[in-house]
Amino acid sequence: MSDFFYVWLRQTLRGTFPSLFATVAVPKAEELVATPYRHGGKEGAEKFFLDGMTAAMHNIADKAHGAFPVTIYYAFKQSDTGSDGTASTGWETFIAAVLRAGFAIHGTWPMRTELGNRMIGSGTNALASSIILVCRRRPDDALQIPRREFQRELKEVLGEALEAMLGGADGASPIAPVDLAQAAIGPGMGVFSQYAAVLESNGEPMSVKTALMLINRQVDEVLGGETFDADTNFCLGWFDEVGFGTGAFGNADVLARAKATSVDAVKHAGVLASDGGKVRLLKPDEYPADWDPQSDNRTPVWEALHQLIRAYNAGGESTAGMLLARMPEKSGDIRRLAYWLYNACAERKRLPEEARAYNELITAWHAIEAASHDVGHVNVQGSLDV
């Protein structure tokens, strides 16, 4: 884009600014981007970016006033999920540069500024969103701590922060699942970056990549992928294997036994189709519209969540609120499962349509809950004024 305008500006302004327009095209050697073909490969590109960004961040840190935070706008690239977890190399490199410059990170907030259907994003790992980092200078006398102490503090701080994000605060709707992973980095990196170093068992400083992996692992632990009822735990395991696709009955039977349930029991719960030696999970639009949790004697959280999605898709917040009013005790677990499934669909399974359904439900959660209160919770004892 810069070259497009440069050639025309050069023709008209070269005589006025000869040094500025000396080259035929825009000079790119000093452009601070990690482009492998300019630097002899991926490692050279990362080193160039890290060194240059560190120098830039040092200049910002030197001029930052201690009384005010520094906000940095970063264009975030889509993450890649591998055997060792979910990561984005450019993001890790950028955070490492910020920390090396002497900053401590106090918050990260995502802004969805990029369209997925734009030309450059078609079929590529292009920009997914933008991130606002909130930073302050790290004290010069910051301590070093061992990995075990970092994990203990991370669990405590991140647990409280995630509880506020998942449940909403001050009447606000819970944070959207699509934003949770990035928002959680803020308090997590806040713990990591307040110290001069977090030391591994061999005495080496912990890398930013390892810290991000531990933060993501703690998020998964809070969401509780295996801490629901037995039927839901089976559904989670089966979904992890085949999604909403079809699998062999024998494999489902083995998994069900491991989760302390049975295929027949899960089918009886109304979340599974089993026929001809094949098993599959029902999609939300396959659930019966006349379902009543008050008369259902076996209601796993999985069923409650997908029935709520069906109701929301059919009649919006008011219809979903009427259904939630009949099972208010499952509200917290429904939200937690929706977050877990969003992450599974968006990161591991690559199921954008399914991910969107979970994200939309949580985004509308405050209005759904308000609608449920308007209806009045069923079978919940009210207060008694004496």
Side-chain angles (χ1 to χ4, degrees), residues 321 324 364-376:
L324 182 62
W365 191 263
H366 181 59
I368 293 173
E369 219 168 32
S372 76
H373 286 291
D374 289 342
V375 173

Side-chain angles (χ1 to χ4, degrees), residues 3 6-7 10 14 17-28:
D3 281 337
Y6 179 86
V7 294
R10 186 172 185 267
R14 186 180 181 186
F17 303 103
S19 60
L20 190 61
F21 292 95
T23 57
V24 176
V26 175
K28 299 180 177 66

Side-chain angles (χ1 to χ4, degrees), residues 18 20 41 98 109 179 212 261 295 313 342 379:
L20 190 61
V98 172
W109 292 101
D179 295 332
L212 289 173
T261 185
S295 59
N313 291 340
Y342 171 83
N379 285 353

